[in-house]
Structure formats: C-alpha cells, structure tokens
Amino acid sequence: MESNNVKNLPKAYSPKEVEEKIYKLWQKSGFFTPKIDHKKKPFVISIPPPNITGSLHMGHALNNTIQDILVRYHRMKGDVTLWVPGTDHAGIATQNVVEKELKKEGLTRYDLGREKFIKRVWQWKEKYGSRIIDQLKKLGCSCDWTRLRFTLDESYSKAVRTAFVHYYNKGYIYKGPRIVNWCPRCHTAISDIEIKYKPQITKLYTFKYSKEFPISIATTRPETKLGDTAIAVNPKDKRYKKYIGQEIKTNFLGVNLKIKIISDRNVDPDFGTGALGVTPAHSMVDFEMAQANDLEIINVIGPEGKMTDKAGPYKGMRVNQAREKIVQDLKKQGLLEKVEDYEHSLSLCDRCGTPIEPLISEQWFVKMKELAQPAIEVVKKNKIKFIPKRYKKIYLNWMENLKDWCISRQLWWGHQFPVFYCSKKLEESKNKKAKLKINEKYFVVSEEKPKKCPFCGKCDMVQETDVLDTWFSSALWPFATLGWPEQTDDLKYFYPTTFLCTAPEILYLWVARMIFSSLEFMKTIPFKTVYLHSTVLTKEGRRMSKSLGTGVDPLELIDKYGADATRFGIIYQTTRDLQAIHFGEEALLASQKFINKLWNIGRFILTQDPISPCQRGRCPKGRGGGSNTQNLTLQVITRRVTKPNTLTDKWILSRLNNVIKETTNLIEKYELGKAEHLIYEFIWHEFADWYVEISKKEKNIPLTKEIYLTLLKLLHPFIPFSTEKIYSYFNKQKQQLLIFANWPLIKENLIDKKSEKDFKIIQNFIIKLRNIKKENKINPSQIISVYILKKESKYFNLIQKQRKIIEHLSKTKLKFVDKKPKGVKLNFKNIEVFIITNN
C-alpha cells in the first residue's frame, strides 16, 4: 500500500482508486481461509450458488451483502468462520445460452450431437462462468475462494451419483407417466420456478360437445377438450345433481368421447356454466381429479406442441391452429353458445418464452412421503429457525401437502442419470416398434458404468439420456461442498452449517430439499437458521426486470457510488421482517455522503494527532521491524490511551459502549438495517456534530482517535473497503489490516446514565441558544452575550461547569449575574436566561 502520510490523504474517499487494491490485499492475507480449530465452534455459511449464466442483480447484492456482514462480524469475534462459495451449472439456462450461440451460426445441438455439444458448453463455462464470481468480489464478498465449488465438478458429480443410487436402492426413485410442465421449444419438463406468467386477455368459449349432450362447458382452450374424459360439477349445484355418476358417450367434432359426470367441491358454480370439462392429460388440476376418480388419460397434444393422432381430424396441427379450426367447426355445427373476453395469466418458459403445455410424460420421480416427515419434524421442534417467523407455517403447509418430485429433464447439459440399459434389449425394442418398459430386467443403477452387461453379457451398455433436475444436485449443497460422500476433515468440522440466507421464492425448491436431503444423508439438519430476505422492488413497488425496463444493475451502482455505499444503502433500506424493499437510489447517495463524512473526521484527527516515535525514526529498541512491528502497531492502535475526565468524555464513552452493545445485539438478531441506522445516527449526530466539535476546544485528540478507530471496527462488516483504507492511515507501520481486528468489547463500567442525562441537558441548552439566535436573525457565527441569573440548583451548577463547551458550540459569551438585565428572556429548567440581541 502507498505511503499513508496524512499529506497523501485525499480530501474525499475514491472507491475506484481503492477497492480493487484493498480486495487484493485481503486475498493475499489468507484471512478468508479459516483453519480448523477443534477448540472453537465454527460459524459457517454456504453461499446460495448463483447460475454460471447469471450476472449480479439486486437480489444477489442484498443477499450477499447480508452474508458478508455476518461473516466479517464473526471473524472479528474470533470465530472460525467459513463462507463456502460456488456456482450452479443451471441446466436449462446454460443449455439455452449455448443453443442461442449455435443458432447464430446456423446450427442446432442436434447438428453437433450430445458429446460435442457438452464440450461446447464446457468451453462457454470456462470463458464466462467465472463472471458472477468476479462481480461478487467487486461487491466485497469475503468468501474462501480456495474452497470454490461447482455443481458439475468431478467430486460434486460423485456426490450426486451416490445420492441417486442411495434413493433408488431404498425404493424412493421410480419412473412413470405423470403430468408435467412441458416446454415444446426446450423439449423438457421444467419446474414451477422456471415458469413466468404473463397477464393477457383471451377468449372464453361456451359450447356443447354435441347437440344431444345435456351440459354446456366453458373453456379458454377448446383444443384440449378433444381429450376430455369427464365433466366436474359442484355437488351442491342443483342444475347438475341428476347427472352425477352418469357416463355419456358422444362424438365431439369427429372424436368419440366417453364423458363421466363427477362431483368436486372445488368447482366454482359461478364460473362459466358451473360445469368443468376435465382434461387429465393437459391440466394439473384435472390430472388430480383423474387420479381420484379413476379417469382415462388421453394425450391430444404431443411434446412438439402439435395435436396427436388422438385429436382426430386436427392431428398434426399446431395448438393455435387447432384452436382456430375447432372454433370455426363449433360455429358451423351450431354448438358454440357464447364467446367473451377473459383475463388470465399465460404460463411461459422462463428461458425461451414459449407457452407451457401441461402434458403427460414418462418421467423419473422421487417418492416424497417418507423423506418429508423428518423434515417436517425438525421444523416443528424448532431445530431449524425461520426468519421471518411467518415462513415456518408456509414451509410446513407445503411439506405436509408434498407430491412426488419429478427429477428428470430432457436436456443434455447436467448430471446424466446413473442408469444403464442393455443396448441389445433397447435395439430389440426399436425393431419391434415398441417402447421398452422400464424394469429391473433391462437396466441397472450404478455410480459407474458396468464393464460387463449383466443381462446379455456382451453389449456396451447405454446410459439414460435424461439429466437430473438442477435442484437435485443443489439439494446436496451444504454437505457435498465439504467433500461428502468422503468423510473429509472439512465435513467433520464445518458441517452442519450455521446460517442460510436466500430468497423466499426458493423456499420449497431449494431450502426444503436441502433439509430432507441432509437428514437423509447426514442424519442431522443442514443449518440452524434460515433467513429469507426481502424482495427488492422498484420505488413504485414494481418487480425489477430487464425485459420490463425496471431493472437496476448493482454493478452500475458500484461504478457510480462505490461498493461500500451500494452495500450500506441497500441494507439501510431493509428491516429484518420486511417482505419487500421499495429500492431508492437516494439511500446510496446518502451513504456516499456518510462515508465521506467518516473520511473527513479521519482527516481531522490525523492532522491533530501527535507524531509517534516510530514516525520520527526513534522506534523502541527491539520493536523497529520484523514480527514485533505488527505487535507494536496493534498496541498503538488498540490500547486505550486516555481516561474520561470531562463530562463530554464520560458521555461519549457511555454512548459508544451503548452503541457497541446495541449493534452487537442487533447483528446477532439479524437486524442489520437497524444496526446501520444506529451507527449512522451515532457517528453523524453525536460523535461528529458534538464530540468532535467539542474536542477542538478540549483538545482530547487521543480519546477522539480511540473512539474513531472503534467506530471503524463497528462499521467494517458493513463498509469494509473505506474503513480498511482509512484504518491504514492510522497504521503507520503498514503491517496490520483492519480485517484482522477484534470486534469491539463492551466496557460496562463506562456506561454512565448520569453523564448521558447531564450531557443531554447541556445539548438541549445549546440548541435553545442556537434557536434564539435563529429566531432573532442573528448570524450563527456571531458571538453574543448570554446572561444567566444566578440560582442554587443542580442545573445551574451543571451549566456553570460546562460553560466552555456551551460557549464554543453556541457561539456565545456566558455571564452569570445577580440581577435581571434587559433583553430576550427564556426559561430553561427554571433558570432565567437573557440575551441582548443588539450586541
């Protein structure tokens, strides 16, 4: 680091000149990498792994700032602190990015073939995959980068295969037909979180299947009605009561249907005709009805988004084409009764924007009933704490109504299933033009590919082409990142982790799955506390989105205000239990001004601070260099250099220790926004506005410096770059970084309520004098005479004793008199005070 002589200290903090250099110093120090110490209990966070396709957004900025504050705080407390970083392979997202690149070249993944396509994705990952990591460093994240993990690295892949084989051997994994969210463009099943919803006005069509059919139905998707196998009505609806239990055969536009009339209390009698056409193959709700009523399931829409041969005369048409043709045919046959506008949300693939088709597909599933129960019990017994508390109920409600988990994706990028088929049997199946039935006769589940086929003894076994849902591998994150399934030293010491901070929208998809996975494989909880942070919205309360033009790029904010002001400004706007933040940039500007205020206080102290013996070249014997230099520096910076002799000193030290106490308590309760407000108010409106100004009169610079350095330590977890830089100017031997400093201890013996109360009286008196000058339009810097009538009282005595600081801060000359003079009178604590305004 450059010379830290006060003459070299700039007039304002310059983030662009400082932050990158500071971060390199931190990394070089090795302090991000903890050493195992069995005498101490570790504090551990595993970062929610961002996608390798990702770029830092406001949610990331908030989440990772929260984590970094806690990590830095616990390091300063002396805890063995580990923050495990890593990235997620993000199956569908990454595959789509690379497919878009291929499209520009006039190619598809099928032109390359699976092996070459995966190689191409790895090349993309090597080029762009570390971008998000670099951005986290720019934010100041103090992760242990020596333990960086990726969900597709070799050791992690081994953990995934081990988990799959374990589940399969316990009978938890099976393959079968189920309704899934299907993307016709990506050709894969996708999870609920990979769907976005677009409000739109569509048409609601009311019609009958045929003229003879007794019931009319209403739908926005008449093309799916070719696959109807029932009509559901509310059991209390008198209009349809006589039909319940009947099965009616009919011909619907050339397709023969058998429609069973069933009752379901969830059917709304006021929607449409009150009769709901049930299409089990193309609606999640209808599929459940089919399961409950043993209905036939007919797929009329295929995986390409085209009508199947079950659609009769509409076979091969695209969904929208089929809809238009069916509406025309309904009109021709006199079956269409009504068409009206209807507003609803269209489900789209989050990656490519294609409308989602719920359809029946052969997929792999994990049975959830037995896995869910232990994960419910640990939360009920409060072994895992949710913040805010309301998420406990939400979690339990979801876990208690859990369905089997679809874990297969029809992608190429990801963890390929460790399932191996007899290729001879597969070939026989193709020759017979029949789909191979999945059973133990023709495939094996193994962590490694069998060298010899156990069925025919000759063939080269073929691996299952499906890959695992990204959340399957992410569910192992708390322990797989520490070396599992190997019993590593890291796993033994750092597991379970302490704290998880993540977004509420992945409570089910990730948090719940980590809990049941950890209980299954590690037999204990993965973390003790789950903090679900606020959603960051625009100032107007809108969702932040690049496509909507409402996105805010935190990297641009860092470039404009610096990382510290960005961090401080985001956290300043939060409260722990707040559901959403209406983000405003004004808080970042205020934070930037606050950091410069802090900087300028440091400049003032440095200009007043006596030069140390070492600066004069007269270091004490044996302490001029080497390892002892660091110890001396620590002594110079951290030892208490003076005693509180004045009321002002007693007041500020009492307030400081109260602030340390409250800040520590707030951080322990994860009330980080409140902690920032507390420190901000203390530094600006007590330390700077009062104590520093008084110190100019009382000349107690050593104590001012001691308090200031303590405040730098309190602020370091929140604004690490600027505090580190300022601290370096006080560290004359350039050996000790602030990141190594201990968290300030609370000195209970210095908390002095009487001194605080007395000083508050002095503050109020000074404010009264200032207000009188303002009311009488007297220049604030003009010194005026203030006459105080002598009186025996504790308040009079207090004012008399604190005469110098009152005069200094109010720009007055106090005169204690026996008789009332002429002038403006004010009463303060039953003391008569007079001001001669024409002085």
Side-chain angles (χ1 to χ4, degrees):
M1 197 178 284
E2 71 271 15
S3 171
N4 286 332
N5 189 292
V6 69
K7 292 178 181 178
N8 299 320
L9 183 60
K11 290 184 178 178
Y13 172 64
S14 177
K16 290 180 180 178
E17 293 176 15
V18 168
E19 290 175 352
E20 189 177 346
K21 294 175 185 176
I22 291 286
Y23 199 89
K24 285 178 180 177
L25 277 175
W26 289 334
Q27 281 198 278
K28 189 179 177 183
S29 76
F31 207 53
F32 294 173
T33 303
K35 290 181 173 62
I36 291 171
D37 183 351
H38 291 288
K39 294 175 184 176
K40 292 183 176 181
K41 192 176 180 181
F43 178 85
V44 186
I45 297 179
S46 289
I47 198 170
N51 293 348
I52 55 168
T53 58
S55 181
L56 201 69
H57 58 61
M58 290 304 290
H60 287 135
L62 171 61
N63 190 348
N64 288 286
T65 300
I66 290 168
Q67 292 175 76
D68 193 54
I69 289 168
L70 293 171
V71 163
R72 289 176 182 272
Y73 165 72
H74 279 277
R75 279 202 205 99
M76 293 178 79
K77 278 181 65 184
D79 296 332
V80 177
T81 304
L82 173 62
W83 189 7
V84 182
T87 51
D88 194 289
H89 65 279
I92 193 169
T94 308
Q95 181 159 314
N96 272 334
V97 168
V98 178
E99 285 194 83
K100 284 177 183 176
E101 283 194 352
L102 289 175
K103 191 176 181 180
K104 292 174 185 175
E105 301 168 22
L107 298 170
T108 68
R109 59 173 159 142
Y110 302 104
D111 294 325
L112 268 67
R114 185 170 192 140
E115 190 176 333
K116 287 184 178 178
F117 177 77
I118 291 173
K119 186 178 180 182
R120 179 74 177 259
V121 182
W122 275 106
Q123 288 171 351
W124 185 93
K125 188 262 178 188
E126 293 307 312
K127 189 174 182 181
Y128 299 108
S130 62
R131 178 175 52 192
I132 189 79
I133 296 298
D134 295 336
Q135 291 169 353
L136 289 172
K137 291 178 180 178
K138 200 171 180 67
L139 187 65
C141 296
S142 57
C143 302
D144 180 1
W145 301 111
T146 67
R147 287 179 167 94
L148 181 67
R149 301 305 304 271
F150 176 52
T151 54
L152 261 180
D153 64 32
E154 183 48 47
S155 61
Y156 204 100
S157 295
K158 181 182 178 182
V160 172
R161 294 192 300 271
T162 301
F164 185 95
V165 172
H166 171 90
Y167 281 141
Y168 180 80
N169 288 339
K170 286 191 77 171
Y172 291 171
I173 288 179
Y174 66 94
K175 191 173 187 181
R178 287 287 187 280
I179 193 162
V180 295
N181 300 311
W182 183 266
C183 176
R185 153 66 183 77
C186 298
H187 299 287
T188 184
I190 63 173
S191 67
D192 291 341
I193 201 172
E194 293 162 328
I195 296 174
K196 60 183 177 183
Y197 298 93
K198 181 182 177 183
Q200 68 165 20
I201 302 293
T202 188
K203 299 296 180 185
L204 181 68
Y205 304 94
T206 302
F207 58 87
K208 288 184 177 180
Y209 296 113
S210 63
K211 288 183 178 178
E212 300 78 24
F213 202 85
I215 300 172
S216 299
I217 61 169
T219 182
T220 59
R221 300 198 63 191
E223 70 279 4
T224 64
K225 301 296 100 183
L226 298 164
D228 278 7
T229 55
I231 284 179
V233 297
N234 193 294
K236 294 181 179 179
D237 195 330
K238 293 176 182 178
R239 293 173 294 175
Y240 306 117
K241 221 164 193 177
K242 63 182 178 180
Y243 299 111
I244 294 171
Q246 292 185 25
E247 187 171 80
I248 305 171
K249 292 182 180 180
T250 189
N251 185 282
F252 177 46
L253 303 178
V255 177
N256 291 322
L257 301 178
K258 280 195 294 186
I259 303 295
K260 185 177 180 180
I261 314 301
I262 63 172
S263 66
D264 190 301
R265 60 186 178 84
N266 293 313
V267 175
D268 182 1
D270 297 324
F271 175 76
T273 64
L276 177 72
V278 179
T279 319
H282 303 292
S283 163
M284 299 286 183
V285 173
D286 295 6
F287 180 78
E288 290 180 15
M289 287 187 190
Q291 298 291 309
N293 293 277
D294 195 26
L295 301 177
E296 186 182 359
I297 296 172
I298 303 170
N299 252 336
V300 293
I301 300 171
E304 301 292 332
K306 294 181 179 180
M307 306 304 289
T308 69
D309 54 3
K310 298 287 185 182
Y314 308 98
K315 175 187 175 183
M317 290 184 185
R318 289 275 175 195
V319 167
N320 287 339
Q321 291 174 327
R323 185 180 304 167
E324 289 177 16
K325 185 69 171 69
I326 287 168
V327 171
Q328 289 173 11
D329 292 345
L330 286 169
K331 286 179 182 176
K332 284 179 185 177
Q333 295 192 25
L335 300 173
L336 188 63
E337 297 174 359
K338 186 165 59 172
V339 180
E340 54 192 310
D341 287 341
Y342 178 70
E343 186 176 350
H344 79 137
S345 293
L346 180 65
S347 303
L348 303 172
C349 175
D350 191 39
R351 304 302 172 185
C352 69
T354 303
I356 293 300
E357 286 294 347
L359 53 79
I360 298 293
S361 177
E362 191 97 339
Q363 300 288 341
W364 292 86
F365 293 85
V366 175
K367 294 177 183 177
M368 288 308 308
K369 189 175 180 181
E370 289 184 46
L371 288 169
Q373 198 53 44
I376 290 169
E377 289 304 314
V378 293
V379 171
K380 280 185 174 179
K381 292 176 180 176
N382 293 316
K383 291 183 179 179
I384 296 175
K385 179 183 177 185
F386 283 96
I387 299 173
K389 290 179 181 178
R390 61 180 176 271
Y391 286 108
K392 177 182 178 180
K393 185 177 179 181
I394 294 168
Y395 167 89
L396 289 173
N397 183 56
W398 187 75
M399 291 297 291
E400 286 164 355
N401 295 280
L402 203 52
K403 296 179 179 65
D404 288 354
W405 176 16
C406 177
I407 57 169
S408 48
R409 298 290 181 267
Q410 290 64 52
L411 303 169
W412 288 356
W413 173 249
H415 292 279
Q416 204 168 344
F417 276 63
V419 176
F420 302 89
Y421 299 99
C422 173
S423 55
K424 186 179 178 182
K425 293 292 182 183
L426 275 176
E427 194 60 37
E428 287 174 7
S429 175
K430 288 177 185 176
N431 292 338
K432 291 176 184 176
K433 295 183 179 180
K435 193 170 182 180
L436 178 69
K437 288 186 178 179
I438 304 300
N439 56 61
E440 290 190 21
K441 190 175 179 182
Y442 303 124
F443 79 94
V444 292
V445 173
S446 171
E447 290 182 38
E448 304 297 334
K449 181 179 178 180
K451 293 179 180 178
K452 185 178 180 180
C453 176
F455 307 114
C456 70
K458 298 176 182 178
C459 74
D460 182 21
M461 297 194 84
V462 178
Q463 190 169 358
E464 168 66 67
T465 55
D466 283 358
V467 300
L468 285 156
D469 175 16
T470 298
W471 299 105
F472 186 95
S473 52
S474 299
L476 313 178
W477 189 251
F479 50 93
T481 52
L482 298 172
W484 186 88
E486 304 302 323
Q487 291 301 305
T488 62
D489 290 341
D490 273 8
L491 185 66
K492 291 173 186 174
Y493 181 68
F494 291 114
Y495 185 89
T497 66
T498 314
F499 176 86
L500 173 73
C501 183
T502 192
E505 58 263 29
I506 55 176
L507 172 61
Y508 316 134
L509 293 159
W510 189 44
V511 179
R513 287 167 178 167
M514 283 191 287
I515 293 172
F516 71 66
S517 299
S518 298
L519 291 169
E520 179 68 19
F521 296 109
M522 299 299 295
K523 307 304 177 190
T524 188
I525 57 173
F527 26 69
K528 300 174 184 72
T529 302
V530 179
Y531 182 109
L532 296 142
H533 64 72
S534 307
T535 302
V536 186
L537 303 176
T538 66
K539 198 172 182 181
E540 297 73 31
R542 297 178 67 195
R543 182 173 66 88
M544 285 197 174
S545 164
K546 284 184 181 179
S547 59
L548 294 174
T550 56
V552 175
D553 185 349
L555 293 171
E556 290 180 7
L557 297 177
I558 290 170
D559 188 61
K560 186 175 179 180
Y561 298 104
D564 278 358
T566 301
R567 289 165 60 114
F568 200 85
I570 292 171
I571 297 297
Y572 197 82
Q573 297 176 72
T574 69
T575 59
R576 189 188 66 186
D577 297 336
L578 198 66
Q579 192 147 344
I581 300 167
H582 289 213
F583 175 78
E585 209 170 308
E586 302 88 347
L588 276 67
L589 179 61
S591 300
Q592 187 183 53
K593 289 178 179 177
F594 173 65
I595 290 166
N596 277 324
K597 180 75 172 177
L598 189 72
W599 184 269
N600 286 324
I601 296 169
R603 277 178 56 84
F604 164 73
I605 295 168
L606 284 164
T607 57
Q608 304 298 311
D609 192 25
I611 299 171
S612 71
C614 285
Q615 277 188 302
R616 296 193 190 100
R618 297 200 301 270
C619 288
K621 191 175 180 181
R623 294 186 180 182
S627 61
N628 284 328
T629 306
Q630 180 169 316
N631 295 332
L632 174 64
T633 304
L634 274 171
Q635 289 171 27
V636 169
I637 290 178
T638 62
R639 68 186 176 91
R640 189 156 63 87
V641 293
T642 188
K643 290 180 180 180
N645 294 317
T646 67
L647 172 64
T648 312
D649 292 346
K650 290 174 183 176
W651 163 75
I652 196 66
L653 286 172
S654 182
R655 289 293 302 124
L656 173 67
N657 280 280
N658 270 318
V659 168
I660 295 169
K661 191 175 187 176
E662 289 179 57
T663 302
T664 304
N665 185 44
L666 288 168
I667 294 174
E668 291 287 347
K669 294 193 297 184
Y670 312 110
E671 297 270 20
L672 305 182
K674 286 184 180 178
E676 278 197 357
H677 279 259
L678 177 69
I679 302 170
Y680 177 96
E681 291 296 321
F682 176 73
I683 289 176
W684 199 297
H685 300 302
E686 294 186 68
F687 182 63
D689 286 354
W690 293 92
Y691 188 77
V692 172
E693 288 303 312
I694 292 168
S695 73
K696 293 174 184 177
K697 183 73 177 175
E698 295 186 341
K699 301 294 184 185
N700 196 352
I701 292 302
L703 182 57
T704 309
K705 175 182 171 182
E706 180 190 338
I707 294 164
Y708 182 73
L709 292 173
T710 300
L711 291 171
L712 292 183
K713 293 170 190 175
L714 272 186
L715 277 169
H716 182 67
F718 301 92
I719 48 171
F721 290 106
S722 54
T723 51
E724 187 71 79
K725 183 61 182 175
I726 299 168
Y727 192 80
S728 71
Y729 285 97
F730 290 89
N731 178 4
K732 302 178 180 72
Q733 294 303 305
K734 309 173 204 172
Q735 294 291 315
Q736 185 68 24
L737 294 170
L738 179 56
I739 197 173
F740 291 121
N742 293 327
W743 184 252
L745 294 174
I746 304 156
K747 299 185 179 82
E748 294 281 357
N749 63 307
L750 292 177
I751 295 176
D752 183 345
K753 288 183 180 179
K754 184 182 183 302
S755 293
E756 287 191 39
K757 188 178 178 181
D758 286 350
F759 192 80
K760 187 69 178 174
I761 292 165
I762 298 302
Q763 283 180 306
N764 289 338
F765 186 58
I766 291 167
I767 291 166
K768 268 194 174 290
L769 294 177
R770 287 172 175 174
N771 288 341
I772 284 288
K773 291 174 80 172
K774 187 176 180 182
E775 288 163 11
N776 287 277
K777 297 180 181 178
I778 300 170
N779 191 316
S781 61
Q782 181 184 337
I783 296 172
I784 62 170
S785 294
V786 174
Y787 298 87
I788 301 171
L789 199 63
K790 291 179 182 179
K791 183 180 182 180
E792 273 303 318
S793 79
K794 62 179 180 180
Y795 299 117
F796 178 84
N797 294 337
L798 181 63
I799 289 170
Q800 201 170 31
K801 284 180 183 177
Q802 303 304 319
R803 174 180 188 167
K804 287 184 179 179
I805 65 168
I806 294 169
E807 290 179 335
H808 174 64
L809 292 179
S810 63
K811 296 292 185 286
T812 59
K813 184 71 177 173
L814 300 189
K815 297 180 179 181
F816 300 96
V817 296
D818 295 309
K819 292 181 181 180
K820 295 180 183 180
K822 290 181 181 180
V824 177
K825 179 185 174 183
L826 67 98
N827 286 312
F828 181 77
K829 300 289 183 183
N830 292 322
I831 300 168
E832 293 180 273
V833 181
F834 300 86
I835 296 171
I836 311 299
T837 57
N838 58 1
N839 278 3

